[in-house]
Every structure is written in structure tokens, then in C-alpha cells.
Amino acid sequence: MSAQASDRLGVGIVGSGFIADFHTRAFRGVRDADVTAVCGRTESAVHRICDLAREQRVGDPAAYADIREMVRDPAVDAVWVTTPNHVRVETVRAITEEVASGRASLRGIAVEKPLGRTVAEAEEVIRLVKDAGLLHGYLENQVFAPGVTRAHDLVWSRGARAAGSPYLARCAEEHSGPHNGWFWQGDKQGGGVLNDMMCHSVEAGRYLLTPPGVPASEWLTPVSVDATIACLKWARPAYADELVRRYGSEVDYRSRPAEDYARSTIVFRNGDGDEVVAEGTTSWSYVGAGLRLSFELLGPEYAMQVNSLDTEAKVFLSREIAGRPGEDLVEKQNAEGGLMPVLPDEAGAYGYTEENRHMVTRFLEGRAPDEGLDDGLQVTRLLMAAYLSAQEGRRIDLDGTQEAERLRAFVPQVAQGTWRPGS
């Protein structure tokens, strides 16, 4: 029994919000791990995640309010960091200080996206983790989504092998807006939808353009970034007032808006020496059935396409049925009637299950995950280049050291609270 127990990973989840819920549900599909602890600042939210873990039979976690106390728990072998962006660095610092001091013993740490609000913050997270000697994973679920990974493998094994490597990836994530107030605040979140969701699209684009089994940073060299941001919906007076009603005066899009739309075009040089492009589009101003994720990959004689709302199940509810608002059909659900898509297993479809399985397996084996914090740093650099491009209205060339140094110290106007739509 003791040998069997040592082959399981005890996972402590730091943070008790929306993403912690997704990860907890995803552990149903991970056979060699248990959620052994949950830590957060809101007692009721922590107990809700603990109860969910017991309900899903993925563990019997202890509840903690102190992160340092949690990581000293001998039942915690690895930590999943899902805390808000503005406390990300302090959270990682607390964990790594406990490990470095010998008060805690961990196999690894996995950190949710984005890695930091700035390049400097992302670099600090990596420094802390590496100095503590921990294995590390970057929790970017979309590059583990089964539809994406299966289509990616087929395109490369059948299309690219015969006709040459792909040259254009298009990735988009769209919904009607975040769940919690801090997401809407530029200083806490690090920006608007570009920082919140373009991180997904950028990394998905890098993944799609890279052959299976090859690190994206070895295959793709960034050349330039061109981007646009706008506040299309939520700065309109009626909708700005709605945000105040929902979240209070701290979310004031009349005076301190963040972008609800972002577009980026990233040019890379691939391992074959060819120019390739990743296009990303994200918005908090999409009003449809719910969250829409779409991916395309184009090559010389082939194409692939994935759309999360092209589901295997749908339901129709007539106007005679008045439904209570919720998200029981699909994340960010915007209606309770009509023809609606149904995602039976959102955690699986969005990639959380395979992501967690991969991280657990690698930590148990003592090997670095395929998606590590260095990937998160590369994404943060590209996001900051996109903000700089949008802010200055020009393409940002990334092949020189001058721009790299500037990006290290760059803080977007949106994060400073000084950006205005149309400026």
C-alpha cells in the first residue's frame, strides 16, 4: 500500500475561483493524483472547492487560508497556482521560499496563464521557481484540448509530411466578458482581453505551427508583431454603467476602460527557414450561445478547423419555457432558450483534463512537462509586443536587442489606467 501511495501525486490548489473549479472537475480524468489541499482568501469559496473535490471523488482536501501552511502539508507534493494576476508573483514567492528553506518539499509547481502582467513579472516567477529547483509547468489548457491535439497530429503526419510545413494559424477566443471584477481592472489583470485571452491564442498558434514533439521555441523564431485593441462594447455608457452595477465603482469603463477586443498578427521564421504567421482574435464583446474557441491551420495542400460550439449535442427550448440564468449548457452562456449547444464535458473539451494528466505524469516521473514556464515567458513577451504595437500604431520588430530591452520594462497604458479608446 505504501508503494502504491508513493506513486500518486498530492495536489494543492492555490486559489478558489472559476479556474480552480475547472481544474478540480478535470481531475476526474487523472488516475494517479488526488486534490489534497485547497488554499484561498475567501473561506466560503475554499470550502466550495473542497466540497466539489469530495463530490467528484478526486480527493478529500484540507482547507487552508495560509499558502505557506498549505505547502508544508506533507500530503501536498505539487501546487497548482490559480490565483489572480495581481497576486501571482507574491504567491509563487511564498511557495518557493518555503521550499528553498526546507520547510516544504514539493516535486513541482504548475502556474496558470498568463505567467505575469509584464515581462518583468514573468521573469521573476521563473527565477523564483528555478532557484527553488522545482519542476514547472505552464497551465495553457488549449494546447491540450483533444480536438486541437488530434487535428494537429494528423495535419503534421499526413499533410505536412507530404506537402510541407503549415504557414498560417488562426486562433480566436470570444465570449461576453469575465466572471469576476478584477478581470475587468487593467491594473490588477495587467490589461484587458488581450492579456486575459490572447495568451491562449498566441500559445495555440505557436503549438499549431510547430511539429509534434518539438519545443515551439526551438522551431519558431519571432520576427514581428502587429496588433490592434479597442473597446467596442463595454465603454458605451449603458454598458459601462452595467459594469458598475455588477462589480462596484472599481470597474468604471467611463473613466478607466480596458480593451474588450484585440487582434494580433505574429510573424515567425520556422525551422525550415520559412516565414509563417499566427493570427489571434479575442473579445469580451461576443454575444452568442457562449464561449467560442476556434482554431485553423493552413498549409500548402491541407487545412484543419476546430470550433468548440460545433458540439455533438444540442437542445431546443421554446419561448414557452422561462429558464433561470446559469451556465449549465456551456461556459459564458448567454441564453436559456432557443437552439443551444451542449458541451457534456467542458473540462475535457477545453483541455484541462489532458493538461492535468500531463503535468501529474511528468512530476511523478521527475521530468519537465512539455509546456513549461519558459513558454509562458515567451507568450508574455509577445503579448507586451502586441500592446506596444497597438499603443504606438506600428509593427514591432523583434529581431533586435533594443526592443527586447524595452519590452522588459514595458507596462501597457491599459494596465496603468491611462489608455482611452480611439487614442
Side-chain angles (χ1 to χ4, degrees), residues 131-182:
D131 285 353
L134 290 172
L135 291 171
H136 51 84
Y138 179 54
L139 293 171
E140 174 43 72
N141 58 287
Q142 291 184 9
V143 302
F144 291 95
V148 174
T149 59
R150 180 60 175 151
H152 169 259
D153 289 350
L154 286 171
V155 160
W156 276 94
S157 64
R158 298 175 69 89
R161 178 177 296 177
S165 57
Y167 42 63
L168 177 60
R170 294 193 184 108
C171 304
E173 179 170 5
E174 304 165 284
H175 59 59
S176 56
H179 287 278
N180 296 314
W182 70 267

Side-chain angles (χ1 to χ4, degrees), residues 287-311:
V287 181
L291 170 67
R292 180 169 68 177
L293 307 175
S294 59
F295 311 86
E296 291 183 86
L297 184 61
L298 309 181
E301 298 294 338
Y302 53 86
M304 63 149 276
Q305 184 175 5
V306 178
N307 189 319
S308 64
L309 293 185
D310 292 339
T311 59

Side-chain angles (χ1 to χ4, degrees), residues 174-177 285-293 307-311 313-315 326-343 346 350:
E174 304 165 284
H175 59 59
S176 56
S285 50
Y286 169 74
V287 181
L291 170 67
R292 180 169 68 177
L293 307 175
N307 189 319
S308 64
L309 293 185
D310 292 339
T311 59
K314 292 180 173 65
V315 298
E327 294 189 10
D328 52 333
L329 302 177
V330 64
E331 182 190 338
K332 304 298 190 301
Q333 188 174 324
N334 286 314
E336 275 61 52
L339 185 63
M340 292 288 295
V342 178
L343 271 170
E346 285 189 293
Y350 297 153

Side-chain angles (χ1 to χ4, degrees), residues 10 13 39 51 71 143 170 213 225 253 256 270 276 293 301 303 324 347 352 398 400 414 420:
I13 298 176
C39 181
D51 290 342
V71 297
V143 302
R170 294 193 184 108
V225 177
Y253 270 40
R256 296 186 307 278
N270 73 7
V276 298
L293 307 175
E301 298 294 338
R324 187 175 62 218
Y352 291 96
L398 299 174
V414 183
R420 295 295 177 267

Side-chain angles (χ1 to χ4, degrees), residues 6 54 89 127 244 265 271 290 406 417:
S6 67
R54 287 185 278 269
V89 174
R127 184 192 67 78
V244 173
T265 300
R406 186 178 181 193

Side-chain angles (χ1 to χ4, degrees), residues 202 205-206 209 220-224 266-270 274-278 382:
V202 166
R206 293 175 74 233
L209 289 167
L220 297 174
T221 300
V223 175
S224 66
I266 306 174
V267 178
F268 298 95
R269 186 75 58 188
N270 73 7
D274 297 324
E275 186 174 274
V276 298
V277 174
L382 293 171

